[in-house]
Amino acid sequence: MVSVQETRLSPAAPENLPARRRRRPVGRAATYRDAALFLLPKALLFGVFILVPFVYTFVLVFQDGSLLGDFRFVGLANFATILSDSLFLSTLKNTLLFLVILVPLTMTVPLAVGVLLSSKLAGLRFYRSLIYLPSLLSIVATGLIWRVLVDPQSGPLNLFFQRVLDIEVPWLSNGTFAIFFIAVITMWSSLGFNSIIFMAGLNDIPDELVEAARIDGAGMWRTFWSIKLPLLRPVMQFVLILTTIASVQVFDVIFVMTKGGPGTATYTAMWYIYQNVFNGGSVGYAATMSVILLLLTLVISAFYLRATRSDGRGRG
């Protein structure tokens, strides 16, 4: 007679148990395949809507033709035309003026608001939500709102300055003032976004450094200038480059508020490109101007990065 214990320990017993599944080892090829399948939809979208138009822009640079077609190869003729195009040079001047106005506004006002939002204030969540409200509006809606506010006949803001303060403000009738006013509106529309970025950067600064500076006798302003501001350099670089790109590509707010007027006083480079493409001009010529704007943006961004990096090395 075989005991129960012997039956349990006999080699035939495991045959009655269900077979366990063996996991196949996953190789690198299978891992790369799964990752490629996962990224394929996004890669296709990127290629169709970004990469292909980007490459095709450089093809159009050497051609001439309208949206209706009839393209022909012209070589470097578009670049030669740009050098003698006084209107394009004027648009570059207006674009750079807009950049010069917008960048200081964006680097100071949102930074000051970010400092306030990072401090310990009563009702801080309410203030953060209130500051971020303009960023929820599209720039087109923002431009329409401000255009109604400064309307020469019935704009509430314009009437307030005229009847209460007795000041005649050329909101959109003077070219230089219109560019300045549009830069202020652009800064206001992105105030919440940039303020939150600066606030996050300030909150990321270790409290030990601030406390050590205070123990050494540094005041609030000295602590901000010598401790917080240098540590905010990566955040400031990020905001600076984003603002530069937005300045060079400014179009929608111009389209809504001035349409390039008065005359050509607020013609920006992107507005001029739009006029060339959709008003019977040359698509190749517009592509050439786009490439020049791209190179201009890269040069300015590289200058920013080099200037701030050399400043950081000098401090070190």
Side-chain angles (χ1 to χ4, degrees), residues 6-111:
E6 290 176 351
T7 304
R8 290 178 179 175
L9 297 177
S10 63
E15 295 179 358
N16 300 326
L17 298 176
R20 295 182 179 178
R21 291 184 177 181
R22 296 182 178 179
R23 297 182 178 179
R24 295 182 179 179
V26 180
R28 289 186 177 181
T31 303
Y32 292 154
R33 180 197 61 198
D34 296 340
L37 291 175
F38 181 77
L39 296 174
L40 182 60
K42 190 171 185 178
L44 289 176
L45 292 175
F46 175 81
V48 172
F49 294 102
I50 296 179
L51 184 60
V52 172
F54 180 78
V55 174
Y56 189 58
T57 300
F58 288 88
V59 176
L60 290 174
V61 163
F62 304 101
Q63 299 185 28
D64 183 27
S66 64
L67 287 177
L68 301 178
D70 192 23
F71 288 97
R72 57 187 180 88
F73 182 79
V74 294
L76 299 177
N78 288 325
F79 289 97
T81 305
I82 281 181
L83 295 178
S84 59
D85 190 350
S86 60
L87 182 56
F88 177 68
L89 297 178
S90 178
T91 62
L92 282 182
K93 177 183 176 182
N94 293 336
T95 303
L96 292 176
L97 177 61
F98 183 82
L99 172 68
V100 169
I101 297 173
L102 182 61
V103 167
L105 288 174
T106 305
M107 299 305 295
T108 53
V109 178
L111 177 59

Side-chain angles (χ1 to χ4, degrees), residues 115-267:
V115 171
L116 293 177
L117 294 180
S118 63
S119 60
K120 297 179 181 179
L121 295 175
L124 192 57
R125 293 183 179 178
F126 171 76
Y127 293 130
R128 289 176 181 175
S129 303
L130 187 64
I131 289 295
Y132 198 77
L133 281 179
S135 297
L136 298 178
L137 298 174
S138 67
I139 190 63
V140 174
T142 301
L144 290 174
I145 291 172
W146 281 98
R147 185 174 180 179
V148 171
L149 289 175
V150 300
D151 184 83
Q153 305 300 328
S154 59
L157 186 60
N158 186 61
L159 294 178
F160 172 79
F161 274 86
Q162 284 182 347
R163 300 177 181 179
V164 178
L165 301 180
D166 196 21
I167 299 176
E168 190 73 27
V169 181
W171 302 103
L172 302 175
S173 59
N174 179 273
T176 304
F177 192 89
I179 291 178
F180 175 80
F181 182 56
I182 292 173
V184 172
I185 293 174
T186 305
M187 181 276 298
W188 178 81
S189 66
S190 61
L191 177 62
F193 177 77
N194 292 327
S195 298
I196 294 298
I197 291 179
F198 281 124
M199 181 197 70
L202 289 168
N203 290 337
D204 196 45
I205 296 176
D207 295 333
E208 294 80 4
L209 297 177
V210 179
E211 291 297 330
R214 291 177 179 174
I215 292 175
D216 290 340
M220 183 180 300
W221 173 252
R222 187 63 179 176
T223 301
F224 174 78
W225 185 261
S226 300
I227 303 296
K228 294 184 177 181
L229 198 59
L231 294 176
L232 276 178
R233 185 177 293 111
V235 178
M236 297 177 70
Q237 287 178 346
F238 175 73
V239 175
L240 195 59
I241 292 176
L242 285 185
T243 306
T244 301
I245 296 174
S247 300
V248 175
Q249 297 181 350
V250 59
F251 166 78
D252 33 21
V253 66
I254 297 291
F255 179 82
V256 171
M257 299 195 69
T258 64
K259 296 188 182 301
T264 59
T266 57
Y267 255 58

